[in-house]
């Protein structure tokens, strides 16, 4: 029911948007932010869109369960179909799925730490994950990488709206324009009728120009370098991608 309600709401908005002259004139492109040093140096065996359950394990990851939805849009508001969305974040103990992470001894072995999803015809994506927690020196955040045709085209981070750590976060403070700051701040709201206190969050990404590529034709990490270029694989929503539930 959650999935169906979300999809209907998004569809209704899209229908209204494309029949209302000038509605997308106010669209602000999402602020880009650095990838950071902790994109997984070894991807997990399970890379689907449910970060709480590893393969067929029975024990879920610790943290506040969050249903994360959104759309990937062009600068003019058109949905971007088949955009490859990657997210990665630290676990509830502040440890990343990376060999150089801090607090590695306390890493939650049940947390996937990374997920992927291929957007549908309306540009929509879905992940089940945890509400981000502070990492030493950083406010809570989730990393996003968007790729198309095997190349990373956009990178940013999603922050928790209203968190006290935002104003002292060095990367967030680099975004000088208040309107641009708002594009990476997301509300986490209680999911109606959830018996486990789950949350919902919606993060729409409005893409601007393609980020400048490095000399080798990639953007540092992400699908363009770690899988497509080096291993010659195609990509999709991840093995056994789970739908909202």
């Amino acid at each position: 029911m959650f999935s169906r309600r979300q999809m209907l709401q998004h569809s209704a908005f899209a229908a209204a948007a494309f029949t209302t002259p000038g509605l997308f004139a106010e669209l602000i492109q999402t602020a880009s932010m650095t990838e950071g040093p902790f994109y997984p140096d070894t991807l997990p065996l399970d890379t689907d869109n449910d970060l709480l359950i590893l393969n067929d394990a029975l024990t879920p990851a610790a943290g506040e369960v969050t249903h994360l939805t959104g759309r990937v849009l062009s600068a003019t508001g058109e949905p971007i179909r088949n955009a490859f969305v990657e997210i990665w974040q630290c676990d509830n103990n502040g440890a990343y799925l990376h060999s150089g992470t801090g607090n590695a001894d306390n890493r939650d072995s049940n947390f996937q730490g990374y997920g992927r999803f291929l957007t549908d015809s309306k540009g929509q994506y879905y992940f089940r994950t945890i509400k981000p927690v502070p990492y030493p020196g950083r406010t809570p955040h989730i990393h996003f990488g968007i790729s198309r045709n095997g190349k990373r085209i956009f990178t940013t981070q999603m922050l928790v709206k209203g968190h006290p750590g935002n104003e002292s976060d060095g990367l967030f403070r680099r975004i000088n324009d208040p309107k641009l700051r708002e594009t990476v701040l997301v509300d986490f709201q209680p999911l109606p009728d959830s018996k486990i206190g789950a949350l919902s969050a919606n993060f729409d990404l409005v893409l601007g120009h393609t980020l400048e590529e490095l000399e080798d034709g990639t953007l540092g990490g992400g699908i363009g370098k770690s899988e497509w270029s080096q291993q010659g694989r195609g990509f999709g929503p991840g093995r056994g991608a789970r739908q909202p539930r």
Side-chain angles (χ1 to χ4, degrees):
M1 290 300 295
F2 171 81
S3 172
R4 186 169 299 172
R5 283 199 302 269
Q6 289 290 328
M7 295 302 180
L8 288 174
Q9 289 170 358
H10 291 160
S11 298
F13 175 82
F18 292 117
T19 56
T20 304
L23 180 59
F24 278 120
E26 299 299 322
L27 273 183
I28 300 176
Q29 295 173 9
T30 303
S32 62
M33 295 180 71
T34 178
E35 179 181 282
F38 295 119
Y39 180 90
D41 45 7
T42 300
L43 292 179
L45 294 178
D46 192 358
T47 59
D48 64 10
N49 62 328
D50 188 345
L51 280 67
L52 302 185
I53 298 292
L54 284 172
N55 295 314
D56 297 322
L58 299 178
T59 304
E64 293 185 85
V65 176
T66 298
H67 295 269
L68 175 59
T69 59
R71 296 169 298 162
V72 179
L73 306 172
S74 71
T76 57
E78 298 171 345
I80 298 179
R81 181 180 184 179
N82 292 335
F84 187 77
V85 182
E86 298 175 281
I87 67 169
W88 63 100
Q89 66 186 104
C90 66
D91 63 23
N92 204 51
N93 298 321
Y96 277 94
L97 187 64
H98 190 280
S99 58
T101 186
N103 205 24
D105 292 341
N106 293 320
R107 193 172 73 81
D108 183 357
S109 60
N110 295 310
F111 185 57
Q112 191 167 298
Y114 168 93
R116 52 174 64 172
F117 197 83
L118 201 65
T119 57
D120 64 13
S121 61
K122 297 183 178 67
Q124 297 171 134
Y125 68 83
Y126 167 79
F127 292 97
R128 192 171 75 127
T129 185
I130 63 171
K131 183 178 180 180
V133 300
Y135 179 83
R138 289 298 315 280
T139 195
H141 60 283
I142 296 177
H143 296 265
F144 274 75
I146 311 297
S147 297
R148 293 196 77 190
N149 300 321
K151 292 185 178 181
R152 176 74 63 80
I153 61 171
F154 192 74
T155 304
T156 193
Q157 300 177 24
M158 185 193 85
L159 279 62
V160 179
K161 190 171 185 176
H163 193 278
N166 291 344
E167 292 305 318
S168 60
D169 186 82
L171 291 179
F172 182 63
R173 292 175 62 183
R174 291 182 187 177
I175 306 174
N176 296 320
D177 188 332
K179 289 184 178 180
L180 282 178
R181 285 189 171 193
E182 287 294 322
T183 65
V184 296
L185 297 176
V186 175
D187 279 319
F188 285 72
Q189 300 291 339
L191 185 66
D193 303 323
S194 173
K195 296 181 180 180
I196 60 172
L199 305 172
S200 65
N202 187 85
F203 184 42
D204 289 344
L205 297 104
V206 182
L207 307 189
H209 59 80
T210 300
L211 296 178
E212 182 179 358
E213 295 182 353
L214 303 178
E215 291 182 358
D216 62 356
T218 70
L219 288 166
I223 191 71
K225 183 174 183 178
S226 65
E227 289 194 277
W228 186 271
S229 297
Q230 294 184 349
Q231 300 176 18
R233 297 178 183 174
F235 53 78
R239 181 180 56 80
R242 296 178 173 91
Q243 297 301 317
R245 64 175 184 269

